[in-house]
Amino acid sequence: MSDPSAIVRNIPVEKAFTIKEIIAPLLAVIIGTFMVLLDSTVVNVAVPTLVQYFDSPLHTMQWSIAAYTLALSAVIPLAGWLSDKFQPKRVFLISIGLFTIGSVLCAFAQTAEQLIAFRVLQGMGGGMVSPIGMAMVYRLAPPDKRGSVIGMFGIPLLLAPALGPVLSGWLIEFVSWQWIFWINLPIGMIGLFVGIKHLPSFPGKEAPTLDIAGMILGPVAFAMITYGVSEGGVSWTSTRTLFGITIGGIALLLFIGSCLRQKQPLLELRAFKSVDFTRGIIISWIMQAAMFGSVLLFPLLLQQIKGFTPLTTGLILLPQAVGSMIFMPMAGKLFDKVGARPPLVAGMTLMTVALFTMSFVRIDTPLLLIMIVLFFMGSGMGLSMMSLNTHVLNATPKHLVSRVTPLTSASQQVIASFAVAGFTGYLSSRMASDLPGKPVGINPLESHAASFADTFFLAACIACMGLVLSLFLRKPEHITDESSFR
Protein backbone atom coordinates (compact mmCIF):
# COMPACT_ATOMS: atom_id res chain seq x y z
CA MET A 1 0.00 0.00 0.00
CA SER A 2 1.41 3.36 -0.99
CA ASP A 3 2.19 5.99 1.58
CA PRO A 4 -0.46 8.82 1.38
CA SER A 5 2.01 11.33 2.73
CA ALA A 6 4.30 10.63 -0.22
CA ILE A 7 1.47 11.44 -2.63
CA VAL A 8 0.83 14.71 -0.82
CA ARG A 9 4.52 15.55 -0.94
CA ASN A 10 4.65 14.95 -4.72
CA ILE A 11 1.75 17.32 -5.52
CA PRO A 12 3.27 20.53 -6.93
CA VAL A 13 2.41 23.55 -4.84
CA GLU A 14 1.22 26.54 -6.90
CA LYS A 15 3.54 29.43 -6.32
CA ALA A 16 1.82 32.52 -4.89
CA PHE A 17 1.96 35.58 -7.13
CA THR A 18 4.08 38.49 -5.96
CA ILE A 19 4.38 41.93 -7.52
CA LYS A 20 8.16 41.34 -7.82
CA GLU A 21 7.51 38.91 -10.67
CA ILE A 22 6.23 41.66 -12.97
CA ILE A 23 7.93 44.73 -11.50
CA ALA A 24 10.45 44.98 -14.38
CA PRO A 25 7.93 44.91 -17.28
CA LEU A 26 5.56 47.06 -15.23
CA LEU A 27 8.37 49.58 -14.76
CA ALA A 28 8.89 49.75 -18.54
CA VAL A 29 5.22 50.59 -19.09
CA ILE A 30 5.21 53.14 -16.24
CA ILE A 31 8.30 54.92 -17.60
CA GLY A 32 6.79 55.26 -21.06
CA THR A 33 3.40 56.40 -19.79
CA PHE A 34 4.97 58.83 -17.32
CA MET A 35 7.05 60.44 -20.07
CA VAL A 36 4.03 61.02 -22.32
CA LEU A 37 1.81 62.37 -19.54
CA LEU A 38 4.60 64.62 -18.27
CA ASP A 39 4.95 66.17 -21.70
CA SER A 40 1.24 66.91 -21.88
CA THR A 41 1.57 69.44 -19.04
CA VAL A 42 5.09 70.89 -19.38
CA VAL A 43 4.27 72.88 -22.52
CA ASN A 44 1.42 74.81 -20.85
CA VAL A 45 3.83 76.70 -18.60
CA ALA A 46 6.23 77.23 -21.52
CA VAL A 47 3.73 78.90 -23.87
CA PRO A 48 4.51 82.53 -22.81
CA THR A 49 8.24 81.83 -23.23
CA LEU A 50 7.67 80.21 -26.63
CA VAL A 51 5.57 83.17 -27.79
CA GLN A 52 8.45 85.51 -26.92
CA TYR A 53 11.25 83.25 -28.24
CA PHE A 54 9.67 82.63 -31.66
CA ASP A 55 8.14 86.13 -31.82
CA SER A 56 4.88 84.43 -32.66
CA PRO A 57 1.33 85.37 -31.54
CA LEU A 58 -0.48 83.25 -28.96
CA HIS A 59 -3.06 82.47 -31.65
CA THR A 60 -0.34 80.58 -33.57
CA MET A 61 1.61 79.13 -30.64
CA GLN A 62 -1.45 77.43 -29.15
CA TRP A 63 -1.15 74.96 -32.03
CA SER A 64 1.89 73.48 -30.28
CA ILE A 65 -0.70 72.07 -27.86
CA ALA A 66 -3.73 71.64 -30.15
CA ALA A 67 -1.76 69.85 -32.88
CA TYR A 68 -0.24 67.50 -30.29
CA THR A 69 -3.66 66.51 -28.91
CA LEU A 70 -5.05 66.07 -32.44
CA ALA A 71 -2.17 63.72 -33.28
CA LEU A 72 -2.92 61.77 -30.10
CA SER A 73 -6.57 61.42 -31.11
CA ALA A 74 -5.63 60.27 -34.62
CA VAL A 75 -3.49 57.30 -33.53
CA ILE A 76 -5.36 56.14 -30.39
CA PRO A 77 -7.93 54.16 -32.44
CA LEU A 78 -5.08 52.48 -34.36
CA ALA A 79 -3.38 51.15 -31.21
CA GLY A 80 -5.45 47.97 -30.98
CA TRP A 81 -5.14 47.14 -34.69
CA LEU A 82 -1.37 47.71 -34.71
CA SER A 83 -0.95 45.57 -31.56
CA ASP A 84 -2.84 42.70 -33.17
CA LYS A 85 -0.92 43.04 -36.43
CA PHE A 86 2.65 43.55 -35.17
CA GLN A 87 2.63 42.43 -31.47
CA PRO A 88 2.10 44.80 -28.50
CA LYS A 89 5.72 44.90 -27.34
CA ARG A 90 7.04 45.90 -30.76
CA VAL A 91 4.43 48.66 -31.25
CA PHE A 92 4.92 49.95 -27.69
CA LEU A 93 8.70 50.26 -28.13
CA ILE A 94 8.33 51.91 -31.56
CA SER A 95 5.87 54.39 -30.03
CA ILE A 96 8.32 55.34 -27.27
CA GLY A 97 11.07 55.70 -29.87
CA LEU A 98 8.91 57.90 -32.10
CA PHE A 99 7.94 60.08 -29.14
CA THR A 100 11.59 60.43 -28.08
CA ILE A 101 12.71 61.36 -31.61
CA GLY A 102 9.88 63.91 -31.82
CA SER A 103 11.01 65.40 -28.51
CA VAL A 104 14.60 65.83 -29.71
CA LEU A 105 13.39 67.48 -32.92
CA CYS A 106 11.19 69.86 -30.89
CA ALA A 107 14.31 70.97 -28.99
CA PHE A 108 15.98 71.80 -32.34
CA ALA A 109 12.99 73.77 -33.71
CA GLN A 110 13.93 77.14 -35.20
CA THR A 111 10.43 78.41 -36.00
CA ALA A 112 6.97 78.08 -34.50
CA GLU A 113 5.87 76.08 -37.55
CA GLN A 114 8.71 73.58 -37.06
CA LEU A 115 7.82 73.17 -33.39
CA ILE A 116 4.18 72.51 -34.26
CA ALA A 117 5.17 69.91 -36.89
CA PHE A 118 7.50 68.10 -34.48
CA ARG A 119 4.80 68.15 -31.80
CA VAL A 120 2.59 66.25 -34.26
CA LEU A 121 5.34 63.61 -34.51
CA GLN A 122 5.47 63.46 -30.71
CA GLY A 123 1.71 62.99 -30.53
CA MET A 124 1.76 60.17 -33.07
CA GLY A 125 4.12 58.26 -30.81
CA GLY A 126 2.57 59.27 -27.50
CA GLY A 127 -1.01 58.42 -28.47
CA MET A 128 -0.34 54.69 -28.55
CA VAL A 129 1.78 54.42 -25.39
CA SER A 130 -1.02 54.63 -22.82
CA PRO A 131 -3.63 52.30 -24.41
CA ILE A 132 -1.09 49.62 -25.36
CA GLY A 133 0.64 49.98 -21.98
CA MET A 134 -2.66 49.54 -20.14
CA ALA A 135 -3.50 46.46 -22.22
CA MET A 136 -0.11 44.89 -21.43
CA VAL A 137 -0.48 45.61 -17.71
CA TYR A 138 -3.91 43.95 -17.83
CA ARG A 139 -2.38 40.83 -19.41
CA LEU A 140 0.61 40.77 -17.06
CA ALA A 141 -1.44 40.70 -13.84
CA PRO A 142 -3.47 37.67 -12.69
CA PRO A 143 -7.23 38.34 -12.45
CA ASP A 144 -7.31 38.45 -8.64
CA LYS A 145 -4.41 40.95 -8.49
CA ARG A 146 -5.35 43.32 -11.30
CA GLY A 147 -6.74 45.95 -8.96
CA SER A 148 -3.47 46.41 -7.07
CA VAL A 149 -1.31 46.14 -10.20
CA ILE A 150 -3.37 48.68 -12.17
CA GLY A 151 -3.25 50.86 -9.03
CA MET A 152 0.54 50.93 -9.38
CA PHE A 153 0.13 51.77 -13.06
CA GLY A 154 -2.01 54.72 -11.96
CA ILE A 155 0.96 56.33 -10.19
CA PRO A 156 2.16 58.22 -13.30
CA LEU A 157 -1.41 59.34 -13.98
CA LEU A 158 -1.32 61.24 -10.69
CA LEU A 159 2.34 62.27 -10.43
CA ALA A 160 3.03 63.47 -13.99
CA PRO A 161 0.44 66.29 -14.06
CA ALA A 162 1.73 67.50 -10.68
CA LEU A 163 5.42 67.39 -11.57
CA GLY A 164 5.06 68.68 -15.15
CA PRO A 165 4.47 72.41 -14.46
CA VAL A 166 7.11 72.56 -11.71
CA LEU A 167 9.75 70.75 -13.78
CA SER A 168 8.91 72.87 -16.82
CA GLY A 169 9.16 76.10 -14.80
CA TRP A 170 12.52 75.13 -13.33
CA LEU A 171 14.03 74.11 -16.68
CA ILE A 172 12.78 77.26 -18.47
CA GLU A 173 13.97 79.58 -15.73
CA PHE A 174 17.38 78.06 -14.97
CA VAL A 175 18.35 76.20 -18.17
CA SER A 176 16.33 76.82 -21.38
CA TRP A 177 12.94 75.95 -22.87
CA GLN A 178 14.61 73.36 -25.10
CA TRP A 179 15.18 71.20 -22.02
CA ILE A 180 11.48 70.57 -21.51
CA PHE A 181 11.93 68.37 -24.59
CA TRP A 182 15.55 67.24 -24.05
CA ILE A 183 14.48 65.73 -20.71
CA ASN A 184 12.54 63.09 -22.66
CA LEU A 185 15.71 61.73 -24.29
CA PRO A 186 17.19 60.00 -21.20
CA ILE A 187 13.72 58.94 -19.99
CA GLY A 188 12.91 57.48 -23.40
CA MET A 189 16.25 55.68 -23.65
CA ILE A 190 15.75 54.11 -20.22
CA GLY A 191 12.21 53.10 -21.15
CA LEU A 192 13.43 51.47 -24.37
CA PHE A 193 16.23 49.62 -22.58
CA VAL A 194 13.98 48.27 -19.83
CA GLY A 195 11.24 47.43 -22.33
CA ILE A 196 13.52 45.55 -24.74
CA LYS A 197 14.98 43.53 -21.88
CA HIS A 198 11.96 42.83 -19.70
CA LEU A 199 8.68 43.22 -21.62
CA PRO A 200 7.32 39.81 -22.65
CA SER A 201 6.57 39.21 -26.32
CA PHE A 202 2.82 38.85 -26.22
CA PRO A 203 1.63 37.00 -29.32
CA GLY A 204 -0.24 39.06 -31.87
CA LYS A 205 -3.74 38.22 -33.05
CA GLU A 206 -5.41 38.21 -36.42
CA ALA A 207 -5.94 41.90 -37.09
CA PRO A 208 -9.37 42.99 -38.34
CA THR A 209 -9.74 44.82 -41.64
CA LEU A 210 -8.47 48.36 -41.21
CA ASP A 211 -10.97 51.17 -41.79
CA ILE A 212 -8.83 53.13 -44.28
CA ALA A 213 -11.55 55.67 -45.08
CA GLY A 214 -12.11 56.42 -41.39
CA MET A 215 -8.36 56.68 -40.79
CA ILE A 216 -8.14 59.45 -43.43
CA LEU A 217 -11.45 61.26 -42.89
CA GLY A 218 -11.27 61.42 -39.07
CA PRO A 219 -8.01 63.40 -38.72
CA VAL A 220 -9.00 65.69 -41.64
CA ALA A 221 -12.38 66.43 -40.00
CA PHE A 222 -11.00 67.08 -36.52
CA ALA A 223 -8.01 69.14 -37.72
CA MET A 224 -10.13 71.36 -39.98
CA ILE A 225 -12.84 71.91 -37.35
CA THR A 226 -10.15 72.78 -34.79
CA TYR A 227 -8.68 75.24 -37.29
CA GLY A 228 -12.12 76.75 -37.84
CA VAL A 229 -12.78 77.02 -34.09
CA SER A 230 -9.36 78.65 -33.60
CA GLU A 231 -10.05 81.24 -36.30
CA GLY A 232 -13.62 81.64 -34.98
CA GLY A 233 -12.19 83.00 -31.74
CA VAL A 234 -11.07 85.99 -33.86
CA SER A 235 -14.02 86.21 -36.25
CA TRP A 236 -16.78 83.67 -36.91
CA THR A 237 -17.48 85.21 -40.34
CA SER A 238 -13.93 85.23 -41.69
CA THR A 239 -13.01 83.18 -44.77
CA ARG A 240 -10.60 81.02 -42.76
CA THR A 241 -13.23 80.19 -40.15
CA LEU A 242 -15.89 79.29 -42.72
CA PHE A 243 -13.39 77.25 -44.76
CA GLY A 244 -12.26 75.21 -41.74
CA ILE A 245 -15.77 74.60 -40.41
CA THR A 246 -17.18 73.72 -43.86
CA ILE A 247 -14.43 71.31 -44.94
CA GLY A 248 -14.25 69.82 -41.43
CA GLY A 249 -18.03 69.43 -41.26
CA ILE A 250 -18.21 67.64 -44.63
CA ALA A 251 -15.33 65.34 -43.67
CA LEU A 252 -17.00 64.65 -40.31
CA LEU A 253 -20.28 63.62 -41.98
CA LEU A 254 -18.40 61.31 -44.35
CA PHE A 255 -16.42 59.92 -41.39
CA ILE A 256 -19.61 59.16 -39.44
CA GLY A 257 -21.14 57.47 -42.48
CA SER A 258 -18.00 55.37 -42.97
CA CYS A 259 -17.93 54.28 -39.33
CA LEU A 260 -21.61 53.26 -39.37
CA ARG A 261 -21.14 51.14 -42.51
CA GLN A 262 -18.08 49.22 -41.27
CA LYS A 263 -18.40 46.02 -39.23
CA GLN A 264 -15.32 47.01 -37.22
CA PRO A 265 -14.99 50.78 -37.68
CA LEU A 266 -12.17 53.00 -36.56
CA LEU A 267 -14.46 54.46 -33.86
CA GLU A 268 -17.48 52.51 -32.58
CA LEU A 269 -20.24 55.09 -33.05
CA ARG A 270 -23.04 52.54 -32.59
CA ALA A 271 -22.61 52.97 -28.83
CA PHE A 272 -24.45 56.28 -29.19
CA LYS A 273 -27.66 54.26 -29.58
CA SER A 274 -27.51 53.93 -25.78
CA VAL A 275 -29.18 57.02 -24.33
CA ASP A 276 -27.23 56.73 -21.08
CA PHE A 277 -23.92 56.43 -22.93
CA THR A 278 -24.75 59.46 -25.10
CA ARG A 279 -25.78 61.57 -22.12
CA GLY A 280 -22.63 60.62 -20.19
CA ILE A 281 -20.17 61.27 -23.01
CA ILE A 282 -21.75 64.65 -23.88
CA ILE A 283 -21.30 65.73 -20.25
CA SER A 284 -17.73 64.40 -20.45
CA TRP A 285 -17.05 66.52 -23.54
CA ILE A 286 -18.43 69.64 -21.88
CA MET A 287 -16.31 69.03 -18.79
CA GLN A 288 -13.21 68.41 -20.94
CA ALA A 289 -13.81 71.66 -22.85
CA ALA A 290 -14.10 73.73 -19.67
CA MET A 291 -11.17 71.95 -18.03
CA PHE A 292 -8.61 71.91 -20.85
CA GLY A 293 -9.59 75.34 -22.11
CA SER A 294 -9.01 76.90 -18.70
CA VAL A 295 -5.89 74.89 -17.80
CA LEU A 296 -3.89 76.88 -20.36
CA LEU A 297 -5.33 80.19 -19.15
CA PHE A 298 -3.83 79.96 -15.65
CA PRO A 299 -0.12 79.81 -16.69
CA LEU A 300 -0.72 82.65 -19.16
CA LEU A 301 -2.44 84.77 -16.50
CA LEU A 302 0.22 84.14 -13.87
CA GLN A 303 3.12 85.03 -16.18
CA GLN A 304 1.68 87.72 -18.45
CA ILE A 305 -0.55 89.57 -15.98
CA LYS A 306 0.80 88.75 -12.52
CA GLY A 307 4.44 88.74 -13.67
CA PHE A 308 5.53 85.49 -12.02
CA THR A 309 8.50 83.49 -13.29
CA PRO A 310 7.94 80.06 -14.94
CA LEU A 311 9.15 78.19 -11.83
CA THR A 312 6.93 80.19 -9.48
CA THR A 313 4.04 79.60 -11.88
CA GLY A 314 4.64 75.85 -11.76
CA LEU A 315 4.63 75.89 -7.96
CA ILE A 316 1.46 78.01 -7.84
CA LEU A 317 -0.28 75.43 -10.07
CA LEU A 318 0.45 72.60 -7.60
CA PRO A 319 -2.85 72.94 -5.64
CA GLN A 320 -4.72 71.90 -8.75
CA ALA A 321 -2.82 68.60 -8.95
CA VAL A 322 -3.11 68.09 -5.18
CA GLY A 323 -6.89 68.54 -5.31
CA SER A 324 -7.16 66.01 -8.11
CA MET A 325 -4.95 63.49 -6.28
CA ILE A 326 -7.03 63.78 -3.10
CA PHE A 327 -10.49 63.55 -4.64
CA MET A 328 -9.96 61.06 -7.48
CA PRO A 329 -9.66 58.03 -5.14
CA MET A 330 -12.58 59.38 -3.09
CA ALA A 331 -14.69 59.59 -6.24
CA GLY A 332 -14.15 55.89 -6.88
CA LYS A 333 -15.42 54.95 -3.43
CA LEU A 334 -18.38 57.34 -3.73
CA PHE A 335 -19.28 55.87 -7.10
CA ASP A 336 -19.47 52.35 -5.62
CA LYS A 337 -21.83 53.57 -2.89
CA VAL A 338 -24.07 56.20 -4.49
CA GLY A 339 -23.46 56.04 -8.25
CA ALA A 340 -22.11 58.67 -10.63
CA ARG A 341 -24.49 61.58 -10.16
CA PRO A 342 -23.61 62.82 -6.61
CA PRO A 343 -19.80 63.00 -7.10
CA LEU A 344 -20.28 64.35 -10.63
CA VAL A 345 -22.65 67.11 -9.48
CA ALA A 346 -20.25 68.00 -6.65
CA GLY A 347 -17.28 68.07 -9.03
CA MET A 348 -19.00 70.14 -11.70
CA THR A 349 -20.23 72.55 -9.01
CA LEU A 350 -16.67 73.07 -7.75
CA MET A 351 -15.38 73.68 -11.29
CA THR A 352 -18.22 76.08 -12.12
CA VAL A 353 -17.77 78.09 -8.92
CA ALA A 354 -14.00 78.21 -9.45
CA LEU A 355 -14.30 79.48 -13.03
CA PHE A 356 -16.98 82.05 -12.18
CA THR A 357 -14.68 83.31 -9.40
CA MET A 358 -11.88 83.75 -11.96
CA SER A 359 -14.24 85.80 -14.17
CA PHE A 360 -13.68 88.64 -11.66
CA VAL A 361 -9.88 88.45 -11.87
CA ARG A 362 -7.92 91.72 -11.87
CA ILE A 363 -4.22 92.55 -11.73
CA ASP A 364 -4.48 92.96 -7.93
CA THR A 365 -6.40 89.70 -7.33
CA PRO A 366 -4.73 88.01 -4.30
CA LEU A 367 -2.52 85.05 -5.11
CA LEU A 368 -4.09 83.05 -2.27
CA LEU A 369 -7.50 83.33 -3.93
CA ILE A 370 -6.09 82.05 -7.24
CA MET A 371 -4.48 79.07 -5.46
CA ILE A 372 -7.77 78.26 -3.69
CA VAL A 373 -9.54 78.42 -7.05
CA LEU A 374 -6.93 76.07 -8.52
CA PHE A 375 -7.50 73.61 -5.65
CA PHE A 376 -11.26 73.74 -6.32
CA MET A 377 -10.62 73.13 -10.03
CA GLY A 378 -8.43 70.10 -9.32
CA SER A 379 -10.89 68.71 -6.78
CA GLY A 380 -13.74 69.11 -9.24
CA MET A 381 -11.75 67.37 -11.97
CA GLY A 382 -10.92 64.46 -9.67
CA LEU A 383 -14.54 63.98 -8.62
CA SER A 384 -15.96 64.37 -12.13
CA MET A 385 -13.51 62.48 -14.34
CA MET A 386 -13.49 59.23 -12.36
CA SER A 387 -17.28 59.17 -12.02
CA LEU A 388 -17.99 60.04 -15.65
CA ASN A 389 -15.48 57.59 -17.16
CA THR A 390 -16.86 54.73 -15.08
CA HIS A 391 -20.46 55.71 -15.86
CA VAL A 392 -19.76 55.79 -19.60
CA LEU A 393 -18.24 52.29 -19.49
CA ASN A 394 -21.17 50.97 -17.46
CA ALA A 395 -23.60 52.50 -19.96
CA THR A 396 -21.87 50.77 -22.88
CA PRO A 397 -23.34 47.51 -24.23
CA LYS A 398 -21.04 44.75 -22.97
CA HIS A 399 -20.08 43.49 -26.44
CA LEU A 400 -18.86 47.02 -27.34
CA VAL A 401 -16.84 47.86 -24.21
CA SER A 402 -13.41 47.00 -25.66
CA ARG A 403 -14.14 49.00 -28.82
CA VAL A 404 -15.61 52.02 -27.03
CA THR A 405 -12.44 52.82 -25.06
CA PRO A 406 -10.66 54.20 -28.18
CA LEU A 407 -13.80 56.25 -28.94
CA THR A 408 -13.88 57.91 -25.52
CA SER A 409 -10.10 58.47 -25.37
CA ALA A 410 -9.82 59.87 -28.90
CA SER A 411 -12.90 62.09 -28.59
CA GLN A 412 -11.59 63.59 -25.34
CA GLN A 413 -8.34 64.54 -27.08
CA VAL A 414 -10.29 66.10 -29.95
CA ILE A 415 -12.42 68.13 -27.54
CA ALA A 416 -9.23 69.23 -25.74
CA SER A 417 -7.81 70.54 -29.01
CA PHE A 418 -11.09 72.34 -29.79
CA ALA A 419 -11.05 73.93 -26.33
CA VAL A 420 -7.41 75.06 -26.47
CA ALA A 421 -7.90 76.53 -29.95
CA GLY A 422 -11.21 78.18 -29.12
CA PHE A 423 -10.23 79.71 -25.77
CA THR A 424 -6.87 81.04 -26.96
CA GLY A 425 -8.51 82.46 -30.09
CA TYR A 426 -11.18 84.14 -27.97
CA LEU A 427 -8.58 85.48 -25.50
CA SER A 428 -6.46 86.87 -28.34
CA SER A 429 -9.48 88.58 -29.93
CA ARG A 430 -10.54 90.10 -26.59
CA MET A 431 -7.02 91.44 -26.01
CA ALA A 432 -6.95 92.94 -29.50
CA SER A 433 -10.37 94.60 -29.16
CA ASP A 434 -10.20 95.80 -25.52
CA LEU A 435 -7.06 97.90 -25.56
CA PRO A 436 -7.76 100.39 -28.42
CA GLY A 437 -10.98 101.59 -26.82
CA LYS A 438 -9.46 102.30 -23.41
CA PRO A 439 -8.74 105.91 -22.36
CA VAL A 440 -5.15 107.14 -22.41
CA GLY A 441 -3.38 106.46 -19.14
CA ILE A 442 -5.15 103.18 -18.42
CA ASN A 443 -2.72 100.39 -17.51
CA PRO A 444 -2.64 97.91 -20.46
CA LEU A 445 -2.40 95.06 -17.93
CA GLU A 446 -5.81 96.05 -16.57
CA SER A 447 -7.27 95.68 -20.05
CA HIS A 448 -5.55 92.33 -20.57
CA ALA A 449 -6.76 91.12 -17.16
CA ALA A 450 -10.30 92.01 -18.23
CA SER A 451 -9.77 89.87 -21.34
CA PHE A 452 -8.78 86.93 -19.14
CA ALA A 453 -11.86 87.56 -16.98
CA ASP A 454 -14.10 87.43 -20.07
CA THR A 455 -12.49 84.16 -21.19
CA PHE A 456 -12.87 82.58 -17.76
CA PHE A 457 -16.53 83.63 -17.83
CA LEU A 458 -16.96 81.76 -21.11
CA ALA A 459 -15.36 78.67 -19.53
CA ALA A 460 -17.65 79.04 -16.50
CA CYS A 461 -20.74 79.12 -18.72
CA ILE A 462 -19.63 75.92 -20.43
CA ALA A 463 -18.99 74.26 -17.05
CA CYS A 464 -22.43 75.40 -15.88
CA MET A 465 -23.99 73.63 -18.88
CA GLY A 466 -22.26 70.44 -17.77
CA LEU A 467 -23.51 70.94 -14.21
CA VAL A 468 -27.13 71.29 -15.36
CA LEU A 469 -26.89 68.19 -17.56
CA SER A 470 -25.27 66.18 -14.75
CA LEU A 471 -28.41 66.69 -12.65
CA PHE A 472 -30.28 64.49 -15.17
CA LEU A 473 -27.73 61.67 -15.20
CA ARG A 474 -29.28 58.34 -14.25
CA LYS A 475 -28.04 54.86 -13.50
CA PRO A 476 -27.49 53.05 -16.83
CA GLU A 477 -30.22 50.63 -17.82
CA HIS A 478 -29.27 47.01 -18.44
CA ILE A 479 -29.04 46.34 -22.19
CA THR A 480 -30.98 43.18 -23.06
CA ASP A 481 -31.30 43.52 -26.84
CA GLU A 482 -27.73 43.75 -28.14
CA SER A 483 -28.77 43.08 -31.73
CA SER A 484 -29.90 46.69 -32.14
CA PHE A 485 -26.29 47.83 -31.57
CA ARG A 486 -24.79 45.68 -34.30
Side-chain angles (χ1 to χ4, degrees):
M1 186 174 180
S2 60
D3 181 9
S5 62
I7 296 176
V8 173
R9 286 195 300 270
N10 290 329
I11 295 176
V13 178
E14 187 176 345
K15 186 180 177 182
F17 172 83
T18 62
I19 198 71
K20 290 181 180 180
E21 296 176 26
I22 63 166
I23 192 67
L26 185 64
L27 185 62
V29 177
I30 288 177
I31 290 172
T33 307
F34 180 85
M35 177 177 65
V36 173
L37 291 175
L38 187 72
D39 206 76
S40 66
T41 56
V42 294
V43 178
N44 290 345
V45 175
V47 167
T49 302
L50 296 175
V51 166
Q52 184 177 6
Y53 181 87
F54 290 112
D55 192 21
S56 179
L58 174 63
H59 186 57
T60 299
M61 195 50 63
Q62 61 86 16
W63 278 98
S64 63
I65 299 173
Y68 176 79
T69 55
L70 280 173
L72 288 176
S73 69
V75 298
I76 286 173
L78 296 175
W81 184 86
L82 288 170
S83 293
D84 291 341
K85 186 77 173 177
F86 302 107
Q87 296 184 350
K89 175 180 178 177
R90 187 177 301 166
V91 179
F92 182 78
L93 293 175
I94 290 173
S95 299
I96 291 180
L98 191 62
F99 184 88
T100 306
I101 292 170
S103 299
V104 172
L105 290 174
C106 285
F108 281 117
Q110 298 299 308
T111 66
E113 291 73 20
Q114 287 181 9
L115 179 64
I116 293 166
F118 297 146
R119 286 281 285 168
V120 170
L121 186 63
Q122 261 194 317
M124 291 174 65
M128 289 183 285
V129 169
S130 292
I132 295 176
M134 175 63 83
M136 287 196 293
V137 170
Y138 190 83
R139 295 172 72 172
L140 281 168
D144 60 329
K145 299 292 183 182
R146 279 178 184 149
S148 58
V149 172
I150 292 176
M152 287 189 63
F153 179 70
I155 292 173
L157 302 181
L158 296 175
L159 285 182
L163 293 176
V166 178
L167 178 62
S168 173
W170 185 84
L171 290 172
I172 292 168
E173 191 168 335
F174 294 104
V175 192
S176 70
W177 68 263
Q178 286 89 344
W179 273 91
I180 66 174
F181 298 110
W182 276 119
I183 194 69
N184 291 326
L185 180 60
I187 299 175
M189 295 296 289
I190 293 170
L192 284 171
F193 174 77
V194 177
I196 291 170
K197 189 172 182 180
H198 295 291
L199 277 176
S201 297
F202 295 108
K205 304 176 185 176
E206 184 178 349
T209 304
L210 184 62
D211 181 7
I212 301 292
M215 189 173 67
I216 296 171
L217 289 169
V220 170
F222 301 141
M224 292 308 297
I225 293 175
T226 302
Y227 175 76
V229 170
S230 173
E231 294 298 325
V234 179
S235 171
W236 285 103
T237 56
S238 69
T239 304
R240 292 180 177 181
T241 300
L242 296 175
F243 175 78
I245 297 291
T246 302
I247 299 299
I250 293 171
L252 181 62
L253 291 174
L254 293 173
F255 174 70
I256 292 171
S258 173
C259 287
L260 292 177
R261 285 196 306 269
Q262 298 282 341
K263 287 186 177 180
Q264 291 190 324
L266 194 68
L267 295 179
E268 186 52 82
L269 301 183
R270 283 179 278 262
F272 283 100
K273 291 182 180 180
S274 166
V275 175
D276 295 313
F277 173 87
T278 302
R279 193 175 297 169
I281 201 166
I282 288 175
I283 297 173
S284 173
W285 290 346
I286 293 172
M287 182 200 70
Q288 295 281 335
M291 180 177 75
F292 279 101
S294 59
V295 159
L296 179 61
L297 296 176
F298 282 101
L300 291 170
L301 172 73
L302 291 168
Q303 292 181 64
Q304 294 186 346
I305 305 300
K306 303 293 284 184
F308 290 112
T309 64
L311 176 58
T312 305
T313 297
L315 292 170
I316 293 170
L317 293 173
L318 270 178
Q320 184 172 330
V322 171
S324 183
M325 292 172 68
I326 291 173
F327 283 92
M328 194 174 287
M330 290 176 60
K333 295 178 181 178
L334 280 171
F335 182 91
D336 292 336
K337 292 180 179 180
V338 297
R341 187 163 58 184
L344 176 60
V345 170
M348 292 304 298
T349 300
L350 284 172
M351 289 180 63
T352 304
V353 170
L355 290 169
F356 269 123
T357 302
M358 289 304 296
S359 69
F360 296 98
V361 69
R362 297 293 180 266
I363 59 172
D364 58 351
T365 298
L367 178 59
L368 179 61
L369 177 62
I370 295 176
M371 295 180 74
I372 292 172
V373 165
L374 283 164
F375 180 77
F376 279 8
M377 280 289 296
S379 303
M381 292 174 192
L383 285 168
S384 302
M385 287 181 66
M386 178 66 70
S387 307
L388 261 182
N389 290 342
T390 311
H391 169 86
V392 167
L393 286 176
N394 287 349
T396 304
K398 287 186 178 180
H399 70 290
L400 295 181
V401 168
S402 62
R403 286 152 59 189
V404 158
T405 303
L407 168 64
T408 55
S409 300
S411 64
Q412 286 174 356
Q413 296 297 336
V414 170
I415 293 298
S417 66
F418 288 175
V420 169
F423 278 109
T424 51
Y426 183 74
L427 175 64
S428 298
S429 67
R430 295 302 301 165
M431 284 184 170
S433 62
D434 278 351
L435 194 56
K438 297 295 180 184
V440 178
I442 294 294
N443 186 349
L445 288 180
E446 285 282 7
S447 177
H448 289 338
S451 301
F452 274 95
D454 292 342
T455 312
F456 275 117
F457 181 76
L458 176 62
C461 291
I462 293 173
C464 191
M465 288 171 52
L467 172 59
V468 172
L469 287 176
S470 66
L471 296 172
F472 298 95
L473 201 69
R474 66 181 186 183
K475 185 177 180 180
E477 293 181 351
H478 179 64
I479 304 294
T480 54
D481 182 17
E482 293 186 350
S483 61
S484 62
F485 290 86
R486 298 185 187 279

